[in-house]
Amino acid sequence: MAASLCLAGGLFATPGAWAVESTNDTAALASTQLTSLEPGYQLPESMPSADDHVEPAQHEPASGIDLERVQDLESIVDDARKQAQVEYLARKLGKPALAVQQYVHLAWAEARRRTGLSPELLIAIMHRESTFQPKVQSSYGAQGLMQVVRRWHREKLRASESLFDPAVNVRVGADILEEYLELVGGDLSKALAKYSGNTRGYAKTVIGESRKLAQVADLAAAEVATASWLTEEASAEYAG
């Protein structure tokens, strides 16, 4: 693997040099630079105060929305998004779907624990850095899915942890990206450039791939939502 895959390497001061601050704000700025149509559930603008008396029967939504059904549908849509991305990557790389499925799911799980990092962005970095090979190592010492250089980021790892462990690698890679986003004020292109060791065209490639992954997921989500709506319409007509 070329030395340009040094990723997160020695061009930067150690993390101890930065102030210890939350990365949520700057990471959220970065997320606006990607096209994202994630489904969401918006809470009501006003909630009852502690002084309001609410009868037990009023705990259910006044609109009559079945929240369990909404949550089930959201889970189904998320599964469709992930599966669509797995199939897209498998076709693109000429690999079995099982060869990339674990890593797509890891990216989604890691993104859920953070603010402003989409799963598509993490997947795109893995694709660019290692083509989903968890045991790969560059001549520079970059390891694993997101090609992390251990000697530059020891404080992010426990002594017993290995960067060849996919879950550890994705967690540390996401930590590094958040750190660089904080450093550059949320500019995703600049953060990705730092992550890659200023590799030419790296940020453009990763952002482009993340957008494509989001489009693939959005199409699958729309198909599932449409199918669900048609099923409910048919059920309502039959019941009527």
Side-chain angles (χ1 to χ4, degrees), residues 81-156:
R81 286 173 174 267
K82 293 178 212 175
Q83 187 59 33
Q85 289 174 347
V86 167
E87 292 173 359
Y88 159 76
L89 290 166
R91 288 193 302 271
K92 184 170 185 176
L93 297 171
K95 293 183 176 183
L98 287 176
V100 296
Q101 179 174 290
Q102 174 189 355
Y103 312 126
V104 169
H105 285 220
L106 267 178
W108 276 73
E110 194 62 45
R112 281 198 181 97
R113 291 193 282 269
R114 301 169 187 269
T115 299
L117 290 187
S118 71
E120 289 82 12
L121 181 58
L122 299 179
I123 294 167
I125 293 174
M126 283 188 270
H127 177 262
R128 173 64 177 80
E129 290 304 330
S130 66
T131 57
F132 306 101
Q133 299 177 75
K135 303 295 185 183
V136 71
Q137 177 168 320
S138 75
S139 59
Y140 187 80
Q143 297 178 328
L145 290 168
M146 295 182 70
Q147 288 288 276
V148 176
V149 181
R150 187 183 190 99
R151 64 181 177 273
W152 292 108
H153 301 285
R154 293 186 187 280
E155 79 290 345
K156 296 179 176 67

Side-chain angles (χ1 to χ4, degrees), residues 20-99:
V20 180
E21 297 178 351
S22 169
T23 61
N24 285 356
D25 292 341
T26 51
L29 285 174
S31 69
T32 64
Q33 299 171 57
L34 294 174
T35 301
S36 177
L37 299 175
E38 293 293 335
Y41 178 77
Q42 187 172 4
L43 292 173
E45 293 182 1
S46 62
M47 298 294 289
S49 68
D51 296 330
D52 292 336
H53 176 69
V54 179
E55 295 293 336
Q58 294 177 346
H59 287 181
E60 295 183 5
S63 62
I65 295 174
D66 186 339
L67 292 182
E68 288 187 3
R69 186 175 182 83
V70 170
Q71 291 168 353
D72 287 345
L73 179 58
E74 184 176 350
S75 177
I76 292 169
V77 169
D78 275 354
D79 286 345
R81 286 173 174 267
K82 293 178 212 175
Q83 187 59 33
Q85 289 174 347
V86 167
E87 292 173 359
Y88 159 76
L89 290 166
R91 288 193 302 271
K92 184 170 185 176
L93 297 171
K95 293 183 176 183
L98 287 176

